[in-house]
Amino acid sequence: MRTLDRKLVRDLWRLKGQTLAIAAVIAGGVMTLILAVTTLEALAGARDRFYASHHFAEVFADVKRAPLGVVSRLQAIEGVNLVEPRVQAAMRLSVAGFDDPVRGLAQSLPDGRQPMLNRLHLVAGGLPEAGLRRGPRPAPGR
């Protein structure tokens, strides 16, 4: 063993508490990094699986009063796989447990079935039936 190596060992032994503290801090940082990267990969994988299973659209475009003929022109664009027109409207809702109104977005459903894009995740109940009107009905004779 060379003289410098012996001196290094003596200095490390004398500073063993500081050396262990530095090693513990580095180990904690490395473990935190590994946990963060692993969590990020797990979340990204879960997001990708959810988007794929619900056919989540990659591009959204909001237009006002576009004729349905635009759909076929958009479908003809190279790289466009699927176009699905929907009607949507912003709304305010009164929800139990909230003091202020809650903002919502109402979207149309194609003939009472699951849409091809942005499929719905139903927690309870089912999709409305096609042509079924809910809400206030007109008075008889009108």
Side-chain angles (χ1 to χ4, degrees):
M1 190 181 266
R2 294 184 352 193
T3 306
L4 285 177
D5 292 337
R6 281 190 300 236
K7 180 174 177 3
L8 176 64
V9 169
R10 270 197 320 260
D11 288 346
L12 283 176
W13 182 252
R14 214 171 355 126
L15 300 171
K16 64 183 172 246
Q18 290 176 347
T19 305
L20 286 174
I22 291 170
V25 168
I26 291 172
V30 169
M31 286 189 301
T32 302
L33 176 67
I34 290 170
L35 284 172
V37 169
T38 303
T39 302
L40 181 63
E41 288 175 358
L43 288 173
R47 178 202 59 212
D48 294 342
R49 285 188 302 278
F50 178 82
Y51 284 2
S53 69
H54 288 78
H55 304 282
F56 201 68
E58 294 182 26
V59 177
F60 299 92
D62 290 335
V63 296
K64 297 209 185 279
R65 298 184 183 160
L68 283 176
V70 172
V71 173
S72 60
R73 290 176 47 201
L74 290 172
Q75 190 74 44
I77 296 174
E78 184 179 338
V80 173
N81 185 28
L82 182 61
V83 176
E84 186 174 42
R86 309 229 337 238
V87 177
Q88 69 181 24
M91 58 191 315
R92 291 187 186 260
L93 305 167
S94 295
V95 179
F98 289 90
D99 295 332
D100 295 328
V102 176
R103 290 190 301 173
L105 183 67
Q107 289 194 338
S108 63
L109 292 175
D111 297 328
R113 62 174 170 77
Q114 277 280 9
M116 292 183 283
L117 294 173
N118 303 335
R119 297 178 66 88
L120 302 172
H121 176 75
L122 299 175
V123 177
L127 293 173
E129 295 176 26
L132 180 65
R133 180 188 163 105
R134 295 209 173 137
R137 297 186 185 266
R142 285 194 170 177

